[in-house]
Structures are given as structure tokens and as C-alpha cells.
Amino acid sequence: EVASGEMVTDTIGYIQINNFNERCAQETLSIFADLEAQGAKAMIFDVRFNPGGYVSEMVDVLDYLLPAGVLFRSEDFMGRSQEETSDAACKEIPMAVLINGNSVSAAEFFAAALTEYDYAVTVGQPTLGKGYFQQGIELSDGSLVNLSVGKYYTPKGVSLAEAGGLQPDILVEVDEETMAKIYSETISAQEDLQLQTAIAELQKRIG
């Protein structure tokens, strides 16, 4: 499975997105609706250790969450730019996104779009800052060369590669041992300070 979810309090849902590969949008949106039905009044997205994936999957999730506007921009080295946009349908509930130094590419731009629209607060550690997209070119001997063929930008036109990653709204540093536990999913919700900080922040917003 690409995404999984559960209620972390009576009113806050939690969705972990492992990557933005095929089925990501379908699974994420289905879990979101399911948690809302269980009484979620706020939602946490966890994209820590998410290596990215397909822009189209990321855009589909953002389109569901955000109002009308630009979700993502890309520009190739020939200067051709493309914008992905959202329709007016959106989810107006408090949201938070957990990020860290292993949130890469689509995961970073997902968090960046939500925070730029002021729809979510980002919690955790600065992301990697991968703002280029690659195209695999197969050579005649069968080997593959990945060439950077363009740049990605957030809705407001920020290149995360130049910015050195996305800085979280609320910085919560954790030590390497805790990082390893988050990565291996052997940490309890109580021990996960980044998660607890997001829960506390959303509880303030639910009122």
C-alpha cells in the first residue's frame, strides 16, 4: 500500500503517504474520506522519508485538498513552462504535514503547496531541496542516463533546490535514534515528538 491512515485522537486523522507512486491519490483520498466519516475535524499528512514519485499523483491529492489556483509549476531547460492547477472544490479543515530531511521531490512540493495556501502547518525538519526533474535516457548499450531536464517550482514560484529545501513552520529536531525509529515505524505515537507537536497545533485550531 502507498498510503495508510488512522485516527490519532477523537478528532484528528493521520495519513502516512509512503510515496507518490501509482494509486497514491486513490488510496490517500479514500482514507481521507474514511477518516472524515470517523469524525476527523483535522488531518495530519506524514511525508517523512517519502522519496517522491509521480507529479500527477501529487497534483491529484492537492487538487482534492486545495481551492482554485496553481498547484505546481515546472519549466524545462528550453524555457517551456507548465502549470498544474486546482478546481474550486477543497477541504477546509485544519491540516498539518510532517516533513524531514528525507522528504524528497513530490513530497516537498506537496508540503510546500499546502503551506503556501495557508491550508496546512508544516512540522518537523527541513526537507532535502530537490527542485530538478530527471528524464531517463536509454543508451544503445542498454545503460540509462538520468539527465536533469528542468526545474520544479512551488505555487508561489519558489525553487526548493535554490531555497535549500522547505523550512518547516514549526521546527522540531529529533536525534538519530528517534529518526531511525520513525523510519522503521517502531516509534509509539507518544514518543514521536514531531507528531505530538502537530496534534497539539491542530487541537488549538479545532478550538
Side-chain angles (χ1 to χ4, degrees), residues 22 44-45 63 118 153:
E22 276 172 44
I44 296 169
F45 293 97
D63 182 10
D118 208 20
Y153 298 95

Side-chain angles (χ1 to χ4, degrees), residues 74-76 130-135 147-152:
S74 58
E75 187 179 297
D76 67 19
K130 180 178 186 292
Y132 298 93
F133 56 98
Q134 278 83 27
Q135 192 171 2
L147 285 184
S148 284
V149 291
K151 275 188 180 181
Y152 284 155

Side-chain angles (χ1 to χ4, degrees), residues 116-180:
E116 283 187 357
Y117 273 84
D118 208 20
Y119 260 59
V121 57
T122 50
V123 178
Q125 291 153 290
T127 65
L128 180 73
K130 180 178 186 292
Y132 298 93
F133 56 98
Q134 278 83 27
Q135 192 171 2
I137 296 169
E138 196 169 334
L139 303 180
S140 54
D141 65 359
S143 58
L144 193 72
V145 176
N146 270 324
L147 285 184
S148 284
V149 291
K151 275 188 180 181
Y152 284 155
Y153 298 95
T154 69
K156 287 188 176 170
V158 176
S159 158
L160 293 179
E162 285 161 21
L166 179 66
Q167 302 301 314
D169 296 317
I170 303 174
L171 180 68
V172 182
E173 297 280 11
V174 294
D175 59 25
E176 288 200 0
E177 188 186 340
T178 308
M179 283 282 277

